[in-house]
Amino acid sequence: MVANAAGEVRPYRVLSLDGGGVRGLYSALLLQGLAKRFAANQRLPNAESFDLGAQFDLIVGTSTGAILATALAAGVPLKRVIDLYRQKAKDIFTDPAGTGRKAALWAMKNAGHAANSPKPLEKALHDVLQDETVGEMYARRGIGLCVPAVNVETSKSWVFKTPHDKKGNRLNRDNNYRLVDVCLASTAAPMVLPIHGIASPADKDGAFNWFADGGLWANNPSLVALTEALSMSDGEQPIELMSVSTCPPFQGRSITPRQADRGALGWKIGVGIVEVALDAQSYAYDYVTKTVAQFTGRKVAYVRLKDPDVPVNDVAHLSLDNPSKKCLDLLSRLANHAIDLNVSLATAGSPPPQPLIAQFFQNIKAFPAQQSEGAMNG
C-alpha cells in the first residue's frame, strides 16, 4: 500500500467513460479542456496534450468510451483521439439512420447487413493503436483497463481486462487480444456496425468469439468500474471514481401526442430504441453507482462530471451515428460549456463545491510535442 509524505494512503483512482457513438467527441474534448484548465491553474507548463491516463489506476469504457479508455490507458494523446472523431467520423458512419420515410429507405437498403462497414473504424484504430495487445499495453504502462462487451453466442456480458490483479494471477484471459479488436467488439452497435468476431487466442483450431456493443448492458460503466475497484484495491485504500458521459440529450427531448403512437418508422427501424436504452442506462447507473458507493463500507468518493442542458432544437442532431459537421460543431460547443460548468463545480462558490474533480488533474504530465502529433510510441 502506497502512502504519501504525510502518511496518507494513496487513493485508487478510476475513470469511467460512457458509450454514445460519435458523441465520444464530447467526452474527449471535455477531458482535454479540463486538463488544460487545471494545468494552467496549477501553473504547469502549457502543452497541447496531457497524459491523463497516467493519473488513474484503472480506466473503464464502453463502446465509444472503450476507444477513449483504451487510448488513455495506452498513452495516446487526447488530441489524436479528437482528430480521429473529427476527421474519420464520416468514413465510419457513412449511412446514418434517418426518421420517417428516410428510416424506411434506410431499412430496405440495409435489411440484410449492418449499415456501415467496420473497415474504416478498424483502420482508424490501427493507425493509433497499431497491433499492441492487452497484455503488452499493461506491461508497458501499468494502467488497468476494463472494456464491457456482449458475447453474442452466449448472450452474456463480457469484460475485457488487463492483468491488473495485484492480489493474484487470475486476469490473463484477454492478454493476447489486440487493443483494436477489443475496441471493435465494444463498439459493434446493432444494425449500425457488424457483430465483431475475434479469433480466440486460447483455441488452436482458430475458433472465433463473437461480440456486440457493451452498451447493451453497461453503456454507463460506472458500476463496473466501482465493482472492479473494490475487488482490486487494498481493503484500506480509499477509492476515487470519476464518471464522464457523452452528453445524452434526454434533458431536452419533447414528444407530441402524435409522436407517441410510434411504429417501426417512428423508432428509426429499431435504432431509436437502442439510442433511448443507452441514454436511459447512463442516467440510471449514475444513481445506482452513487447509492452503492455510500454503502460499501469503504471510503469511496464518486463524481460524475456535469453536462450542460441540450437545447430542444438541437436534440435531433445528437444521434450516435450522425457524423455531420453540424453535429460535431454542436458537440464541441457543448463540451466547452461543460468545461466551464465543471471548473466552477471544482471551486468554492459553486453549491456544492466538488474539489474532487480538480484532484484528478493534479500535477498532470504533458506529452512531448512529437508524441502529440505522431503515433502511439512517438
Side-chain angles (χ1 to χ4, degrees):
M1 190 178 299
V2 180
N4 61 21
E8 298 171 329
V9 176
R10 184 184 65 80
Y12 189 89
R13 285 194 170 152
V14 190
L15 177 63
S16 174
L17 300 161
D18 284 17
V22 74
R23 297 198 321 248
L25 173 63
Y26 166 88
S27 309
L29 287 168
L30 172 55
L31 290 173
Q32 174 79 325
L34 288 176
K36 287 185 175 183
R37 290 281 286 274
F38 285 117
N41 289 347
Q42 299 169 55
R43 292 183 169 80
L44 298 176
N46 187 32
E48 190 170 33
S49 205
F50 294 88
D51 189 359
L52 182 57
Q55 299 289 101
F56 296 91
D57 298 282
L58 175 68
I59 306 176
V60 184
T62 299
S63 196
T64 196
I67 296 174
L68 182 52
T70 302
L72 289 171
V76 176
L78 275 171
K79 181 182 181 297
R80 293 212 68 203
V81 183
I82 291 166
D83 288 344
L84 185 154
Y85 282 106
R86 284 178 168 160
Q87 297 171 11
K88 304 297 183 181
K90 281 194 173 182
D91 297 329
I92 295 166
F93 299 110
T94 58
D95 192 7
T99 57
R101 185 179 178 185
K102 288 183 179 179
L105 294 174
W106 181 87
M108 291 173 62
K109 178 182 176 183
N110 300 302
H113 53 78
N116 303 281
S117 166
K119 295 300 182 183
L121 177 57
E122 183 173 9
K123 183 181 185 306
L125 290 170
H126 189 268
D127 288 345
V128 175
L129 299 170
Q130 302 165 21
D131 286 315
E132 191 167 41
T133 66
V134 169
E136 289 168 346
M137 186 276 291
Y138 185 74
R140 178 173 61 85
R141 291 274 287 173
I143 299 169
L145 175 69
C146 289
V147 174
V150 174
N151 185 323
V152 179
E153 291 184 302
T154 63
S155 296
K156 293 181 179 179
S157 60
W158 181 295
V159 181
F160 292 96
K161 297 182 182 183
T162 49
H164 53 266
D165 180 14
K166 293 182 171 57
K167 301 176 183 179
N169 192 33
R170 64 182 180 84
L171 296 184
N172 294 301
R173 180 195 64 183
D174 304 324
N175 284 356
N176 295 321
Y177 284 111
R178 292 190 313 158
L179 296 174
V180 169
D181 282 314
V182 169
C183 291
L184 289 171
S186 189
T187 56
M191 296 172 284
V192 176
L193 287 164
I195 292 169
H196 186 63
I198 312 175
S200 174
D203 194 311
K204 296 180 180 179
D205 295 327
F208 272 67
N209 291 325
W210 295 93
F211 298 100
D213 198 320
L216 293 173
W217 70 278
N219 197 55
N220 172 352
S222 56
L223 196 58
V224 176
L226 178 56
T227 302
E228 192 72 6
L230 289 168
S231 300
M232 297 299 153
S233 59
D234 292 324
E236 298 178 9
Q237 192 173 15
I239 295 169
E240 295 180 351
L241 168 59
M242 181 168 70
S243 175
V244 185
S245 85
T246 55
C247 202
F250 47 70
Q251 298 100 323
R253 185 177 284 116
S254 61
I255 297 175
T256 66
R258 182 176 179 181
Q259 292 172 330
D261 189 15
R262 298 183 183 185
L265 294 184
W267 284 111
K268 296 166 61 176
I269 317 297
V271 174
I273 297 174
V274 173
E275 290 177 336
V276 170
L278 299 186
D279 290 342
Q281 277 191 56
S282 294
Y283 180 80
Y285 276 96
D286 174 40
Y287 172 80
V288 173
T289 303
K290 189 181 303 180
T291 303
V292 171
Q294 295 175 354
F295 297 99
T296 60
R298 295 274 299 277
K299 186 177 180 181
V300 179
Y302 167 72
V303 63
R304 185 163 170 86
L305 295 186
K306 178 76 172 175
D307 297 318
D309 290 335
V310 179
V312 173
N313 293 336
D314 290 330
V315 169
H317 302 297
L318 293 183
S319 298
L320 62 87
D321 61 342
N322 181 4
S324 69
K325 184 178 184 301
K326 192 164 189 175
C327 176
L328 300 181
D329 289 346
L330 172 59
L331 290 167
S332 297
R333 292 199 306 274
L334 291 170
N336 286 331
H337 293 326
I339 292 165
D340 291 335
L341 283 172
N342 287 284
V343 169
S344 296
L345 278 174
T347 58
S350 299
Q354 282 281 5
L356 177 62
I357 296 174
Q359 291 176 30
F360 288 105
F361 300 90
Q362 195 74 25
N363 298 317
I364 191 171
K365 299 294 189 296
F367 279 116
Q370 65 269 23
Q371 187 170 347
S372 294
E373 297 171 2
M376 177 180 62
N377 293 315

